[in-house]
Amino acid sequence: YEDYANTHKSIAKMVKAAVATDMNHIIEYYNRDSNGCFFVATNGDGEVVGCIGVKYCDFRDGYEINRLCVDSCCQGRGIGGKLLEACEEFVVGDGKSTLLFAVTPIFMESAHAFYTSRNFLKDVTFTAPTNVAVPLSVFSKDVKVDAS
């Protein structure tokens, strides 16, 4: 984080915004009206090594992935994939196929590769009209209910 924050001041602003909006109130934000969920991955000692949030988004009529993060010492072990699978299971839990999408800064190439490898398609790149002013890419996928 510090490397990105020092070279991309907008990252520090994004983290502060995340803390202000949802990370300070995880239970209330993600579980309000059962429209969202927050998952954590732990190691054998019970330490949190990864997390992901997913929440319904009216304007896209789908679920947005938020805060996907895996500790750097645990990356490459499939933890991010398992967290994403948990979100996919959650969003089709009501028996309907739905849209799942993630918005990431354009310079986070590893995140882009991660989503692409899991059959997400890059929809659009844009700069949000906020004080952060970081170009963002949207990756989305239709998540289908398993017919079996």
Side-chain angles (χ1 to χ4, degrees), residues 23-92:
M23 295 306 291
N24 254 355
H25 311 282
I26 291 171
I27 293 172
E28 295 88 354
Y29 185 84
Y30 287 99
N31 292 324
R32 186 179 325 127
D33 302 325
S34 298
N35 284 333
C37 200
F38 195 84
F39 299 95
V40 296
T42 58
N43 65 14
D45 296 327
E47 299 169 323
V48 174
V49 295
C51 65
I52 192 170
V54 62
K55 182 144 180 79
Y56 184 76
C57 181
D58 288 329
F59 79 88
R60 289 278 320 249
D61 192 23
Y63 288 84
E64 181 177 9
I65 297 166
N66 292 301
R67 317 299 172 229
L68 174 56
C69 183
V70 176
D71 190 311
S72 60
C73 69
C74 298
Q75 291 177 0
R77 299 182 187 174
I79 295 169
K82 291 290 186 189
L83 288 166
L84 188 57
E85 287 173 20
C87 288
E88 290 181 7
E89 290 174 17
F90 173 80
V91 302
V92 296

Side-chain angles (χ1 to χ4, degrees), residues 86-125:
C87 288
E88 290 181 7
E89 290 174 17
F90 173 80
V91 302
V92 296
D94 63 359
K96 299 178 195 168
S97 297
T98 191
L99 175 72
L100 184 61
F101 68 97
V103 180
T104 66
I106 63 166
F107 57 82
M108 293 187 69
E109 294 172 6
S110 60
H112 296 189
F114 173 80
Y115 288 116
T116 301
S117 74
R118 281 151 183 84
N119 301 315
F120 281 73
L121 299 176
K122 184 175 177 181
D123 286 343
V124 68
T125 298

